[in-house]
Amino acid sequence: MLNALFSSQNRSGPQVSLFLAIILIACLTSATTWAAEGGKVPAIPDWSQLVQTSGDRLEKLDSDQQAIDLFIGAIGPAASLTDAASTIAAKGIPSRMAKELFLPDVTRSAQRLIAALIALQVSDRLTKALADNAKPAIGTVSVAPSQVDWLTANGPFPSLTETIHQLTMLDSPPTGASDLNGNIGSIAVSAGRLGLEASQQAMTEWWRLKTWKDRVRVARGQSRLCGTWQWAIHNHQNHHQEHKLSLIFPPSGKDGTGIAGLSEIVVLGDAVYLRWEMEGKTQEDSLLFSKEGNRLEGTFVNSQGGWGSISGKRTASCTVQ
């Protein structure tokens, strides 16, 4: 693909209006979330505040349903994840649509976010108790076995087991003050690691939920392109040469695009943007669907100064392996 399109001399070509329109639409779409936040990058939630606000429910939570209920009713809206919370809460979504919306993945991320907040709560409680540097204060921090099991299933949090073990060691009679201080020091280290693990998971799952609709859009675009296409390229720069080739776009969910050199796919309605990169050269295609999605017509520009038209015809339907 790129070799055919880049086989031209280096001269500047005209700007392609359709290409610019596609780029503008893509930029506006990418900025949708920013606009919702007043034109700024979404603020990272205050995890400590969320833990404090829902502290009582987090402390007793030990099941998937409790986690989902808390996410829908409180954590989701408070963390600017209202769309995800509303989708999870919706009843009667057909199985096909649920799959297209990645509903199982969204639900799993919501559970893992709640688990991260619980782990943060345990870490915070221990940190505050350690400030008193006294065994009685630390001994008031406990985690029910059922909650430990649930956290492990929705983490895992490697330092959680060590933290629980260190808390158990406090019940053993110390042989001296140094032993007690040593146990407290070990708890401090474990609690710090647990807090770090929880914070990392909270950020990861929050971002997955924040960008969830983008992943749905990309998958839907790949589904529309999926199949075998006959591509015809007319390069105005290189003596109006025409090149024909066959491209096979894979189904959505496949790792990578499956086509050498194709680095980005954006589909917005009937508009399609493709970016190609190979050996330091780039090309951008701007196309529109027609004929019930079986034809593509548009233009291309590349870093070598090449420009021209592209037409595509679907010759085989999508094959899901």
Side-chain angles (χ1 to χ4, degrees):
M1 178 72 175
L2 289 177
N3 288 337
L5 298 180
F6 286 132
S7 60
S8 56
Q9 297 178 354
N10 191 7
R11 293 183 299 178
S12 59
Q15 297 296 324
V16 183
S17 59
L18 177 60
F19 165 69
L20 294 177
I22 295 294
I23 293 298
L24 177 59
I25 294 173
C27 290
L28 290 175
T29 302
S30 300
T32 299
T33 303
W34 294 12
E37 301 290 338
K40 298 179 181 180
V41 177
I44 297 173
D46 185 337
W47 304 123
S48 296
Q49 182 62 38
L50 289 178
V51 169
Q52 182 178 353
T53 302
S54 302
D56 291 341
R57 295 181 67 179
L58 289 171
E59 189 172 348
K60 301 174 182 177
L61 194 151
D62 61 2
S63 72
D64 293 347
Q65 189 58 54
Q66 289 177 322
I68 293 304
D69 290 343
L70 180 57
F71 179 81
I72 292 173
I75 301 299
S80 301
L81 299 173
T82 304
D83 288 344
S86 299
T87 301
I88 295 175
K91 304 296 184 182
I93 297 179
S95 57
R96 180 178 178 180
M97 181 177 293
K99 183 178 180 181
E100 291 179 355
L101 293 174
F102 301 148
L103 189 55
D105 181 64
V106 173
T107 302
R108 176 65 172 163
S109 286
Q111 292 175 192
R112 285 174 56 81
L113 176 57
I114 298 300
L117 295 183
I118 295 175
L120 269 176
Q121 183 186 52
V122 174
S123 175
D124 289 346
R125 289 169 60 199
L126 277 172
T127 300
K128 292 176 182 178
L130 286 166
D132 296 334
N133 197 31
K135 177 179 176 181
I138 301 172
T140 61
V141 181
S142 62
V143 186
S146 59
Q147 190 173 64
V148 173
D149 292 341
W150 187 82
L151 287 173
T152 302
N154 286 275
F157 303 97
S159 296
L160 178 63
T161 301
E162 180 62 21
T163 302
I164 300 300
H165 173 71
Q166 294 296 338
L167 288 173
T168 304
M169 292 292 292
L170 288 179
D171 295 331
S172 302
T175 58
S178 60
D179 289 342
L180 176 59
N181 291 335
N183 288 341
I184 291 177
S186 297
I187 293 174
V189 172
S190 298
R193 289 174 178 169
L194 178 60
L196 178 61
E197 293 163 2
S199 296
Q200 290 175 336
Q201 178 161 309
M203 277 300 304
T204 298
E205 300 306 332
W206 176 78
W207 186 248
R208 285 182 60 80
L209 291 165
K210 195 69 176 175
T211 59
W212 151 65
K213 290 190 293 185
D214 292 332
R215 298 200 307 276
V216 172
R217 175 183 57 77
V218 170
R220 284 176 171 170
Q222 288 181 334
S223 295
R224 291 198 69 184
L225 279 174
C226 181
T228 303
W229 292 79
Q230 185 68 38
W231 223 253
I233 305 141
H234 185 92
N235 194 332
H236 290 293
Q237 184 192 41
N238 194 20
H239 307 294
H240 298 279
Q241 287 185 358
E242 286 197 355
H243 302 275
K244 293 184 178 181
L245 65 156
S246 180
L247 297 175
I248 301 177
F249 289 92
S252 63
K254 291 285 186 179
D255 293 335
T257 64
I259 301 176
L262 182 56
S263 62
E264 185 178 0
I265 298 175
V266 177
V267 180
L268 300 172
D270 287 335
V272 180
Y273 166 77
L274 305 177
R275 178 178 177 84
W276 306 80
E277 297 179 358
M278 183 176 289
E279 298 179 354
K281 303 172 184 177
T282 61
Q283 176 173 302
E284 293 169 307
D285 303 343
S286 305
L287 308 155
L288 288 173
F289 278 112
S290 63
K291 303 294 184 180
E292 298 182 348
N294 290 317
R295 295 295 297 267
L296 281 168
E297 301 288 342
T299 58
F300 76 89
V301 292
N302 63 43
S303 58
Q304 298 297 96
W307 60 278
S309 63
I310 298 177
S311 62
K313 178 182 179 180
R314 193 191 303 271
T315 57
S317 59
C318 183
T319 300
V320 180
Q321 297 179 349

